[in-house]
Amino acid sequence: MAAKKSKKKTTKKKKSSARRKGSSKKKGVVGGVFLSVLLIAALAYGIVKVNQGSSVRNANLSELSADAERYAFKHGLSTNYCFFVNYGVPSGTPRFYVWDFARHEVVATARCMHGSGLTNTAAQPVFSNRVNSNCSSLGRFEVLRNEHGSRLRRSFRLQGLDKENSNAYSRGLLVHSSLWVDQHKHKKYIPLHTPSCQGCVTISTHGMRYVERLVKNESKNILLWSFYVPEK
């Protein structure tokens, strides 16, 4: 009898252990699904925060960030954050990056369209510093946290800091958002749309909310650096 009872107890323990393992597997699956849903939602909103160690096309940014930090320090700009835009990445992919100097990594991204002037196409941007060109410009800009567009409440004016963007202020270039970006976020290339972008750094609405909070919380203006490095 004692032997039978011992066998029954052993069988019960095995069943209990199997239930616990099955339960933990289910929790793992549910947790994975939940994280996937969160990531899909973040992508849908047009801005994605990334964790340390994540790679968001920032191989070039790691090198560029050192120059950006030195430049920001020398010119009295924020040494906490800077913004990068790589126009070589398709506009339907997040290509506006928020760089954290202290963490030495990208902490947020957003989709960003380019200007519609001259011979621009949705897939191939053309750059110009010319007034009324409606083209995006390359180089370093100062994001003026206390100056905004006359018709766009949520925006910041840009001051060009290089020869190739010296007319940015007189052109009225801004960092601002547009619903056009949100409406076409699922396409590889965001269609050109002059009313939405005449050379400004035009990003998603949720991306702009993040940028606005960041800029307003800084005591110094933030450096924005746009460049063109095509995808390999």
Side-chain angles (χ1 to χ4, degrees), residues 54-123:
S54 297
S55 177
V56 187
R57 308 177 189 275
N58 62 353
N60 297 318
L61 302 189
S62 295
E63 299 174 8
L64 192 60
S65 65
D67 292 334
E69 188 170 15
R70 283 192 293 269
Y71 186 91
F73 178 78
K74 182 179 179 180
H75 293 84
L77 302 174
S78 171
T79 52
N80 294 319
Y81 301 96
C82 76
F83 304 134
F84 291 115
V85 182
N86 183 4
Y87 287 113
V89 173
S91 53
T93 302
R95 61 182 182 179
F96 177 96
Y97 311 107
V98 179
W99 184 268
D100 186 319
F101 284 125
R103 292 167 60 178
H104 197 66
E105 64 177 359
V106 172
V107 292
T109 69
R111 289 174 176 79
C112 177
M113 64 186 296
H114 54 263
S116 59
L118 300 180
T119 57
N120 269 286
T121 66

Coordinates of all heavy atoms in Angstrom, one line a residue, residues 54-123:
S54 N 19.9 48.5 -29.7 CA 19.1 48.4 -30.9 C 19.8 49.1 -32.0 O 20.5 50.1 -31.8 CB 17.7 48.9 -30.7 OG 17.0 48.2 -29.7
S55 N 19.7 48.6 -33.2 CA 20.3 49.2 -34.4 C 19.2 49.8 -35.3 O 18.3 49.1 -35.7 CB 21.0 48.1 -35.2 OG 21.6 48.7 -36.4
V56 N 19.2 51.2 -35.4 CA 18.2 51.9 -36.2 C 19.0 52.6 -37.3 O 19.0 53.9 -37.3 CB 17.4 52.8 -35.4 CG1 16.2 53.4 -36.2 CG2 16.8 52.1 -34.2
R57 N 19.7 51.9 -38.2 CA 20.5 52.5 -39.2 C 21.4 53.6 -38.7 O 21.6 54.6 -39.3 CB 19.5 53.2 -40.3 CG 18.5 52.2 -40.8 CD 17.6 53.0 -41.8 NE 16.4 52.2 -42.1 CZ 16.4 51.2 -43.1 NH1 17.5 51.0 -43.8 NH2 15.4 50.5 -43.4
N58 N 22.0 53.3 -37.5 CA 22.8 54.4 -36.9 C 24.3 54.1 -36.9 O 25.0 54.7 -36.1 CB 22.3 54.6 -35.4 CG 22.5 53.3 -34.6 OD1 22.8 52.3 -35.1 ND2 22.3 53.5 -33.3
A59 N 24.7 53.2 -37.8 CA 26.1 52.9 -37.9 C 26.9 54.2 -38.3 O 28.0 54.5 -37.7 CB 26.3 51.8 -39.0
N60 N 26.4 55.0 -39.2 CA 27.0 56.2 -39.6 C 26.9 57.3 -38.5 O 27.7 58.2 -38.3 CB 26.4 56.8 -40.9 CG 26.7 55.8 -42.1 OD1 27.7 55.3 -42.2 ND2 25.6 55.6 -42.9
L61 N 25.8 57.2 -37.8 CA 25.5 58.2 -36.8 C 26.5 58.2 -35.6 O 26.8 59.2 -35.0 CB 24.1 58.1 -36.2 CG 22.9 58.2 -37.2 CD1 21.6 58.2 -36.5 CD2 23.1 59.4 -38.1
S62 N 26.9 57.0 -35.3 CA 27.9 56.8 -34.2 C 29.2 57.6 -34.5 O 29.7 58.2 -33.6 CB 28.3 55.3 -34.0 OG 27.2 54.6 -33.6
E63 N 29.6 57.6 -35.7 CA 30.8 58.4 -36.1 C 30.4 59.9 -36.2 O 31.2 60.8 -35.7 CB 31.4 57.9 -37.4 CG 31.8 56.5 -37.4 CD 32.2 55.9 -38.7 OE1 32.3 56.8 -39.7 OE2 32.5 54.7 -38.8
L64 N 29.3 60.2 -36.8 CA 28.9 61.6 -37.0 C 28.6 62.3 -35.7 O 28.8 63.5 -35.5 CB 27.7 61.6 -37.9 CG 27.3 63.0 -38.5 CD1 28.4 63.6 -39.3 CD2 26.0 62.9 -39.3
S65 N 28.1 61.5 -34.7 CA 27.7 62.1 -33.4 C 28.9 62.8 -32.7 O 28.7 63.7 -32.0 CB 27.0 61.1 -32.6 OG 28.0 60.1 -32.2
A66 N 30.1 62.2 -32.8 CA 31.2 62.8 -32.2 C 31.5 64.2 -32.7 O 31.8 65.1 -32.0 CB 32.4 61.9 -32.4
D67 N 31.4 64.3 -34.1 CA 31.6 65.6 -34.7 C 30.5 66.6 -34.3 O 30.7 67.8 -34.0 CB 31.6 65.5 -36.2 CG 32.9 64.8 -36.7 OD1 33.9 64.8 -36.0 OD2 32.8 64.2 -37.8
A68 N 29.3 66.0 -34.2 CA 28.1 66.9 -33.8 C 28.2 67.4 -32.4 O 27.9 68.5 -32.1 CB 26.8 66.0 -34.0
E69 N 28.7 66.5 -31.5 CA 28.8 67.0 -30.1 C 29.9 68.0 -30.0 O 29.7 69.0 -29.2 CB 29.1 65.8 -29.2 CG 29.1 66.1 -27.7 CD 29.2 64.9 -26.9 OE1 29.5 63.8 -27.4 OE2 28.9 65.0 -25.7
R70 N 31.0 67.9 -30.6 CA 32.1 68.9 -30.6 C 31.5 70.2 -31.2 O 31.8 71.3 -30.6 CB 33.3 68.4 -31.4 CG 34.1 67.4 -30.7 CD 35.5 67.2 -31.3 NE 35.3 66.6 -32.7 CZ 35.3 65.2 -32.9 NH1 35.5 64.4 -31.8 NH2 35.2 64.7 -34.1
Y71 N 30.8 70.1 -32.3 CA 30.3 71.3 -32.9 C 29.3 72.0 -32.0 O 29.3 73.2 -31.8 CB 29.6 71.0 -34.2 CG 29.2 72.2 -35.0 CD1 30.0 72.8 -36.0 CD2 27.9 72.7 -34.8 CE1 29.5 73.9 -36.7 CE2 27.4 73.8 -35.6 CZ 28.3 74.4 -36.5 OH 27.8 75.5 -37.2
A72 N 28.4 71.2 -31.4 CA 27.4 71.8 -30.5 C 28.0 72.5 -29.3 O 27.6 73.6 -28.9 CB 26.5 70.7 -30.0
F73 N 29.0 71.9 -28.7 CA 29.7 72.5 -27.6 C 30.4 73.8 -28.0 O 30.3 74.8 -27.3 CB 30.8 71.5 -27.0 CG 31.6 72.0 -25.9 CD1 31.0 72.1 -24.6 CD2 32.9 72.5 -26.0 CE1 31.7 72.6 -23.5 CE2 33.6 73.0 -25.0 CZ 33.0 73.1 -23.7
K74 N 31.1 73.8 -29.1 CA 31.8 75.0 -29.6 C 30.9 76.1 -29.9 O 31.2 77.3 -29.6 CB 32.6 74.6 -30.8 CG 33.5 75.7 -31.4 CD 34.3 75.3 -32.6 CE 35.1 76.4 -33.2 NZ 35.9 76.0 -34.4
H75 N 29.7 75.8 -30.3 CA 28.7 76.9 -30.8 C 27.6 77.1 -29.8 O 26.6 77.8 -30.1 CB 28.2 76.6 -32.1 CG 29.2 76.6 -33.2 ND1 30.0 75.6 -33.5 CD2 29.6 77.6 -34.1 CE1 30.8 75.9 -34.5 NE2 30.6 77.1 -34.9
G76 N 27.8 76.6 -28.6 CA 26.8 76.9 -27.5 C 25.4 76.3 -27.7 O 24.4 76.8 -27.2
L77 N 25.4 75.1 -28.4 CA 24.1 74.4 -28.6 C 24.0 73.3 -27.5 O 24.9 73.0 -26.8 CB 24.1 73.8 -30.0 CG 24.2 74.9 -31.1 CD1 24.3 74.1 -32.5 CD2 23.1 75.8 -31.1
S78 N 22.9 72.7 -27.5 CA 22.6 71.6 -26.5 C 23.6 70.5 -26.7 O 23.9 70.0 -27.8 CB 21.2 71.1 -26.7 OG 21.0 69.9 -25.9
T79 N 24.2 70.0 -25.6 CA 25.1 68.8 -25.7 C 24.4 67.6 -25.0 O 25.0 66.7 -24.6 CB 26.4 69.1 -24.9 OG1 26.1 69.6 -23.6 CG2 27.2 70.1 -25.7
N80 N 23.0 67.7 -25.0 CA 22.2 66.6 -24.5 C 21.7 65.8 -25.7 O 21.7 64.5 -25.7 CB 21.1 67.1 -23.6 CG 21.5 67.7 -22.3 OD1 22.5 67.2 -21.7 ND2 20.9 68.8 -22.0
Y81 N 21.2 66.5 -26.7 CA 20.6 65.8 -27.8 C 20.9 66.5 -29.1 O 21.3 67.7 -29.1 CB 19.0 65.8 -27.7 CG 18.5 65.2 -26.5 CD1 18.2 65.9 -25.3 CD2 18.3 63.8 -26.4 CE1 17.7 65.3 -24.2 CE2 17.8 63.2 -25.3 CZ 17.5 63.9 -24.2 OH 17.0 63.3 -23.1
C82 N 20.8 65.8 -30.2 CA 20.8 66.4 -31.5 C 19.9 65.6 -32.4 O 19.5 64.5 -32.1 CB 22.2 66.5 -32.1 SG 22.9 65.0 -32.7
F83 N 19.5 66.2 -33.6 CA 18.7 65.5 -34.5 C 19.5 65.2 -35.8 O 20.3 66.1 -36.3 CB 17.5 66.4 -34.9 CG 16.6 66.8 -33.7 CD1 16.2 68.2 -33.6 CD2 16.3 65.9 -32.8 CE1 15.5 68.6 -32.5 CE2 15.5 66.3 -31.7 CZ 15.1 67.7 -31.6
F84 N 19.3 64.1 -36.4 CA 19.9 63.7 -37.7 C 18.8 63.4 -38.6 O 17.7 62.8 -38.3 CB 20.8 62.5 -37.5 CG 22.1 62.8 -36.7 CD1 22.3 62.1 -35.5 CD2 23.0 63.6 -37.2 CE1 23.4 62.3 -34.8 CE2 24.2 63.9 -36.5 CZ 24.4 63.2 -35.3
V85 N 19.0 63.7 -39.9 CA 18.1 63.3 -41.0 C 18.9 62.7 -42.1 O 19.8 63.4 -42.6 CB 17.2 64.5 -41.6 CG1 16.3 63.9 -42.6 CG2 16.5 65.2 -40.5
N86 N 18.7 61.4 -42.4 CA 19.4 60.8 -43.6 C 18.4 60.7 -44.7 O 17.6 59.8 -44.8 CB 19.9 59.4 -43.2 CG 20.7 58.8 -44.3 OD1 20.9 59.4 -45.4 ND2 21.2 57.6 -44.1
Y87 N 18.5 61.6 -45.7 CA 17.6 61.6 -46.8 C 17.9 60.5 -47.8 O 17.2 60.3 -48.8 CB 17.7 63.0 -47.6 CG 17.0 64.1 -46.8 CD1 17.7 65.1 -46.3 CD2 15.6 64.1 -46.7 CE1 17.1 66.2 -45.6 CE2 15.0 65.1 -46.0 CZ 15.7 66.2 -45.5 OH 15.1 67.2 -44.8
G88 N 19.0 59.7 -47.5 CA 19.3 58.5 -48.4 C 18.4 57.3 -48.1 O 18.4 56.4 -48.8
V89 N 17.7 57.4 -46.9 CA 16.8 56.3 -46.6 C 15.4 56.6 -47.2 O 15.0 57.8 -47.2 CB 16.7 56.2 -45.0 CG1 15.6 55.3 -44.6 CG2 18.0 55.9 -44.4
P90 N 14.7 55.6 -47.7 CA 13.3 55.9 -48.3 C 12.4 56.6 -47.3 O 12.5 56.3 -46.1 CB 12.8 54.5 -48.6 CG 14.0 53.7 -48.8 CD 15.1 54.2 -47.9
S91 N 11.7 57.6 -47.7 CA 10.9 58.4 -46.8 C 9.8 57.7 -46.1 O 9.3 58.1 -45.0 CB 10.3 59.6 -47.6 OG 9.5 59.1 -48.7
G92 N 9.4 56.5 -46.6 CA 8.4 55.7 -45.9 C 9.0 55.0 -44.7 O 8.3 54.4 -43.9
T93 N 10.3 55.0 -44.5 CA 11.0 54.4 -43.4 C 11.5 55.5 -42.5 O 11.9 56.6 -43.0 CB 12.3 53.6 -43.9 OG1 11.9 52.6 -44.8 CG2 13.0 53.0 -42.7
P94 N 11.4 55.4 -41.2 CA 11.8 56.4 -40.3 C 13.3 56.8 -40.6 O 14.2 56.0 -40.5 CB 11.7 55.8 -38.9 CG 10.6 54.8 -39.0 CD 10.7 54.3 -40.4
R95 N 13.5 58.1 -40.9 CA 14.8 58.6 -41.2 C 15.2 59.9 -40.5 O 16.2 60.5 -40.7 CB 15.0 58.7 -42.7 CG 14.0 59.8 -43.3 CD 14.2 59.8 -44.8 NE 13.4 60.8 -45.5 CZ 13.4 61.1 -46.8 NH1 14.2 60.4 -47.6 NH2 12.6 62.0 -47.3
F96 N 14.3 60.3 -39.6 CA 14.6 61.4 -38.7 C 15.0 60.7 -37.3 O 14.2 59.9 -36.8 CB 13.4 62.3 -38.5 CG 13.5 63.4 -37.5 CD1 13.9 64.7 -37.9 CD2 13.3 63.2 -36.2 CE1 14.0 65.7 -37.0 CE2 13.5 64.2 -35.2 CZ 13.8 65.5 -35.7
Y97 N 16.2 61.0 -36.8 CA 16.7 60.4 -35.6 C 16.9 61.4 -34.5 O 17.5 62.5 -34.7 CB 18.0 59.7 -35.9 CG 18.0 58.8 -37.2 CD1 18.6 59.2 -38.3 CD2 17.3 57.6 -37.2 CE1 18.6 58.4 -39.5 CE2 17.3 56.8 -38.3 CZ 17.9 57.2 -39.5 OH 17.9 56.4 -40.6
V98 N 16.6 61.0 -33.3 CA 16.9 61.8 -32.1 C 18.1 61.1 -31.4 O 17.9 59.9 -31.0 CB 15.7 61.9 -31.1 CG1 16.1 62.7 -29.9 CG2 14.5 62.5 -31.8
W99 N 19.2 61.8 -31.3 CA 20.4 61.2 -30.8 C 20.6 61.7 -29.4 O 20.6 62.9 -29.1 CB 21.6 61.5 -31.7 CG 22.9 60.9 -31.2 CD1 23.8 61.4 -30.4 CD2 23.4 59.6 -31.6 NE1 24.8 60.5 -30.2 CE2 24.6 59.4 -30.9 CE3 22.9 58.6 -32.4 CZ2 25.3 58.2 -31.1 CZ3 23.6 57.4 -32.5 CH2 24.8 57.2 -31.9
D100 N 20.9 60.8 -28.5 CA 21.2 61.1 -27.1 C 22.7 61.1 -26.9 O 23.3 60.0 -27.0 CB 20.5 60.1 -26.1 CG 20.6 60.5 -24.7 OD1 21.7 60.9 -24.3 OD2 19.6 60.3 -23.9
F101 N 23.3 62.2 -26.6 CA 24.8 62.3 -26.5 C 25.3 61.4 -25.3 O 26.3 60.8 -25.4 CB 25.3 63.7 -26.4 CG 25.3 64.5 -27.7 CD1 24.6 65.7 -27.8 CD2 26.0 64.0 -28.8 CE1 24.6 66.4 -29.0 CE2 26.0 64.7 -30.0 CZ 25.3 65.9 -30.1
A102 N 24.6 61.5 -24.2 CA 25.0 60.8 -23.0 C 24.9 59.3 -23.2 O 25.9 58.6 -22.8 CB 24.2 61.3 -21.8
R103 N 23.9 58.8 -23.8 CA 23.7 57.4 -24.0 C 24.4 56.9 -25.2 O 24.5 55.7 -25.4 CB 22.2 57.0 -24.0 CG 21.5 57.3 -22.7 CD 20.0 57.2 -22.8 NE 19.5 55.9 -23.3 CZ 18.2 55.7 -23.5 NH1 17.3 56.6 -23.2 NH2 17.8 54.5 -23.9
H104 N 24.8 57.8 -26.1 CA 25.4 57.5 -27.3 C 24.6 56.6 -28.2 O 25.1 55.5 -28.6 CB 26.8 56.9 -27.1 CG 27.7 57.0 -28.3 ND1 28.2 58.2 -28.8 CD2 28.2 56.0 -29.0 CE1 28.9 57.9 -29.9 NE2 29.0 56.6 -30.0
E105 N 23.4 56.9 -28.4 CA 22.5 56.1 -29.2 C 21.3 56.9 -29.6 O 20.9 57.9 -29.1 CB 22.0 54.9 -28.4 CG 21.2 55.2 -27.2 CD 20.7 54.0 -26.4 OE1 21.0 52.9 -26.9 OE2 20.0 54.2 -25.4
V106 N 20.6 56.3 -30.6 CA 19.3 56.8 -31.1 C 18.2 56.5 -30.1 O 18.1 55.3 -29.7 CB 18.9 56.2 -32.5 CG1 17.5 56.6 -32.9 CG2 19.9 56.7 -33.5
V107 N 17.5 57.5 -29.6 CA 16.4 57.2 -28.6 C 15.0 57.3 -29.2 O 14.0 56.9 -28.6 CB 16.5 58.1 -27.4 CG1 17.8 57.8 -26.6 CG2 16.5 59.6 -27.8
A108 N 14.9 57.8 -30.5 CA 13.6 57.9 -31.1 C 13.8 58.2 -32.6 O 14.8 58.8 -33.0 CB 12.7 59.0 -30.5
T109 N 12.8 57.8 -33.4 CA 12.9 58.0 -34.8 C 11.5 58.4 -35.3 O 10.5 58.2 -34.7 CB 13.3 56.8 -35.6 OG1 12.3 55.8 -35.6 CG2 14.6 56.2 -35.1
A110 N 11.4 59.1 -36.5 CA 10.2 59.4 -37.1 C 10.3 59.4 -38.6 O 11.4 59.6 -39.1 CB 9.7 60.8 -36.6
R111 N 9.2 59.3 -39.3 CA 9.3 59.4 -40.8 C 9.4 60.9 -41.1 O 9.0 61.8 -40.4 CB 8.0 58.9 -41.4 CG 7.9 57.3 -41.3 CD 6.6 56.8 -41.8 NE 6.5 55.4 -41.8 CZ 6.3 54.6 -40.7 NH1 6.1 55.2 -39.5 NH2 6.3 53.3 -40.8
C112 N 10.0 61.1 -42.3 CA 10.3 62.5 -42.7 C 10.3 62.6 -44.2 O 11.0 61.8 -44.9 CB 11.7 62.9 -42.2 SG 12.3 64.6 -42.6
M113 N 9.5 63.5 -44.7 CA 9.4 63.7 -46.2 C 10.4 64.8 -46.7 O 10.9 65.5 -45.8 CB 8.0 64.0 -46.6 CG 7.4 65.3 -46.1 SD 5.6 65.4 -46.6 CE 5.7 65.5 -48.4
H114 N 10.6 64.9 -48.0 CA 11.5 65.9 -48.5 C 10.7 66.8 -49.4 O 9.6 66.6 -49.8 CB 12.7 65.3 -49.2 CG 12.4 64.3 -50.3 ND1 12.4 63.0 -50.0 CD2 12.1 64.5 -51.6 CE1 12.1 62.3 -51.1 NE2 11.9 63.3 -52.1
G115 N 11.4 67.9 -49.8 CA 10.8 68.9 -50.6 C 10.4 68.4 -52.0 O 10.8 67.4 -52.5
S116 N 9.5 69.2 -52.7 CA 8.9 68.8 -54.0 C 9.5 69.6 -55.1 O 9.0 69.4 -56.3 CB 7.4 69.0 -53.9 OG 7.1 70.3 -53.6
G117 N 10.4 70.5 -54.9 CA 10.8 71.4 -56.0 C 11.8 70.8 -57.0 O 12.2 69.7 -56.9
L118 N 12.0 71.6 -58.1 CA 13.0 71.2 -59.2 C 12.6 69.8 -59.7 O 11.5 69.6 -60.1 CB 14.4 71.3 -58.7 CG 14.8 72.7 -58.2 CD1 16.3 72.7 -57.7 CD2 14.6 73.8 -59.3
T119 N 13.6 68.9 -59.8 CA 13.4 67.6 -60.4 C 13.2 66.5 -59.3 O 13.5 65.3 -59.5 CB 14.6 67.2 -61.3 OG1 15.8 67.3 -60.5 CG2 14.6 68.2 -62.5
N120 N 12.8 66.9 -58.1 CA 12.5 65.9 -57.0 C 11.5 64.9 -57.5 O 10.6 65.2 -58.2 CB 12.0 66.6 -55.8 CG 13.1 67.1 -54.8 OD1 13.7 66.3 -54.2 ND2 13.4 68.4 -54.8
T121 N 11.8 63.7 -57.0 CA 10.7 62.6 -57.1 C 10.6 62.1 -55.7 O 11.4 62.3 -54.8 CB 11.2 61.5 -58.0 OG1 12.3 60.8 -57.5 CG2 11.5 62.0 -59.4
A122 N 9.5 61.3 -55.5 CA 9.3 60.7 -54.1 C 10.5 59.8 -53.7 O 10.9 59.7 -52.6 CB 8.0 59.9 -54.1
A123 N 11.1 59.1 -54.7 CA 12.2 58.2 -54.5 C 13.6 58.9 -54.4 O 14.5 58.4 -53.8 CB 12.2 57.1 -55.5

